[in-house]
Amino acid sequence: TRNTCGETSLTAALCYYEYGNALFRAVVRRKPLDSDNENHDEDKKPAAKPSSAAARKRSLDDDKTKEPGLSVSSKRAKIENNVEEGDNDDDDIALALEMLSTSFSIFDWHSSTDEDKKTKPDEEGKRYSLTQVPRVLSTIGDIHSHCGKFGDAVDAYCRALPYRENAWEERQKPGKGESLSVDDLKCQRLLVETYALVAEALLACKEGEDVVCANDEDKDDINGATGKVLVAAKDRVDFAESHYATAREKLQDIVYQMGKLAAENVDLGDEKKDIGYLVMMLVGIGNTLEPLKTARS
């Protein structure tokens, strides 16, 4: 059927994601946002914007919880290299968003439990899709952030947050084992990173204006902007500070657990670097918040 091996299958959703992500990566490489990005590690995901450079540099195999039988093409690097530098960046960004939106729709269908569906997704596919939905949404948020559409970025990151929270809660249920694995550490880190991304995008929004995304174009906010109001202008810094505080608090547990694993001689792989990137990201957010907090007091 189409849901098993056709255009609405999990394999197709993953291909849509990889293609869209490759297009976005190519745009960033062609037009780096700062000099530091020009020589970034080719095996890392480029920054959506300078202040989040550390946290957004992910390995190409971002989520290693691939569905059995769904192998990401080892030639994905060639896909990126084949994107001609003369292509129009705006067209590539638009196509990337289209591919990612299609990927999200497919993964969302496979992860939902709608009783009215004629064809029910299998449980293994559902579990896999639940790991991919926040991944796709985060990349969509990165693209919006790169384009300066920070309200849309906030919307995407906020939509990814419940999936990250549920994934971490599942790993904390009784019977999951006492010891923490590297995969558990990564799951917790992705949750904290999403909180940080929400805070960062909120702080990047224009001062004195409501945080608006383009979901409801027929509605106007009090400042005349069209779209759906996510956060009122007067609450923007408070919301950012709240997400930052949550991320900072949860980071302390991550560092503690990382130390325990290191003491047990567990190989952390790239996770140690990714946690280091997250720490740098939170330091940047804290530095941005400090003068704003001082001005209010």
Side-chain angles (χ1 to χ4, degrees):
T1 66
R2 293 193 311 163
N3 295 327
T4 303
C5 56
E7 63 269 28
T8 58
S9 66
L10 293 176
T11 303
L14 188 58
C15 289
Y16 282 124
Y17 172 80
E18 294 298 338
Y19 183 35
N21 186 45
L23 285 169
F24 172 51
R25 287 164 57 87
V27 168
V28 175
R29 284 177 175 145
R30 290 200 300 270
K31 190 177 180 181
L33 294 179
D34 55 39
S35 58
D36 291 335
N37 285 341
E38 292 178 359
N39 298 316
H40 62 73
D41 185 347
E42 287 298 312
D43 289 333
K44 295 296 182 179
K45 184 176 179 180
K49 57 196 182 76
S51 57
S52 63
R56 305 315 302 162
K57 288 183 179 178
R58 302 228 184 111
S59 57
L60 284 172
D61 56 345
D62 184 8
D63 280 323
K64 298 179 181 178
T65 54
K66 306 297 183 193
E67 181 195 17
L70 280 184
S71 60
V72 180
S73 172
S74 61
K75 297 181 180 179
R76 106 179 79 186
K78 291 184 179 180
I79 293 176
E80 297 176 19
N81 293 333
N82 286 337
V83 178
E84 297 182 3
E85 293 186 4
D87 288 353
N88 185 280
D89 285 352
D90 291 340
D91 290 344
D92 285 352
I93 287 293
L95 181 56
L97 283 173
E98 181 182 344
M99 294 297 100
L100 291 168
S101 296
T102 302
S103 175
F104 167 76
S105 297
I106 298 172
F107 281 132
D108 184 54
W109 185 91
H110 283 278
S111 65
S112 63
T113 55
D114 188 355
E115 295 297 329
D116 295 331
K117 288 181 179 177
K118 294 181 180 179
T119 306
K120 304 294 183 182
D122 63 274
E123 284 302 313
E124 186 177 6
K126 179 180 177 180
R127 288 193 298 270
Y128 172 73
S129 296
L130 287 171
T131 68
Q132 297 306 300
V133 168
R135 182 188 183 203
V136 176
L137 287 171
S138 293
T139 305
I140 291 174
D142 292 347
I143 294 178
H144 287 311
S145 184
H146 174 81
C147 296
K149 298 178 180 179
F150 299 112
D152 291 323
V154 171
D155 178 58
Y157 295 141
C158 285
R159 289 164 64 194
L161 194 52
Y163 292 93
R164 296 299 191 198
E165 290 174 335
N166 290 338
W168 176 236
E169 289 173 3
E170 281 293 320
R171 289 180 177 270
Q172 293 180 298
K173 286 184 176 180
K176 294 292 184 180
E178 293 293 331
S179 61
L180 192 76
S181 67
V182 176
D183 285 341
D184 292 331
L185 193 67
K186 177 179 179 178
C187 180
Q188 190 177 17
R189 189 258 305 166
L190 287 171
L191 170 60
V192 175
E193 188 176 283
T194 306
Y195 275 110
L197 286 168
V198 173
E200 185 181 63
L202 283 168
L203 291 174
C205 294
K206 290 184 179 180
E207 185 176 357
E209 294 185 9
D210 293 343
V211 178
V212 178
C213 72
N215 278 352
D216 298 329
E217 296 182 354
D218 57 332
K219 295 182 180 180
D220 292 347
D221 73 345
I222 58 175
N223 295 317
T226 59
K228 177 182 178 181
V229 178
L230 300 176
V231 181
K234 62 183 179 63
D235 298 324
R236 180 180 64 91
V237 175
D238 289 336
F239 272 74
E241 186 175 0
S242 173
H243 282 80
Y244 166 72
T246 301
R248 187 174 176 179
E249 179 183 352
K250 292 180 180 295
L251 178 64
Q252 295 177 5
D253 186 51
I254 290 180
V255 174
Y256 170 73
Q257 297 295 348
M258 183 177 67
K260 286 183 61 177
L261 289 173
E264 297 171 3
N265 295 320
V266 176
D267 183 11
L268 298 176
D270 288 337
E271 197 56 33
K272 185 176 181 180
K273 292 181 181 179
D274 289 334
I275 292 172
Y277 296 147
L278 177 58
V279 171
M280 293 170 61
M281 181 184 185
L282 287 173
V283 169
I285 296 173
N287 291 338
T288 303
L289 270 172
E290 194 59 35
L292 298 175
K293 292 163 59 178
T294 303
R296 288 187 305 173
S297 60

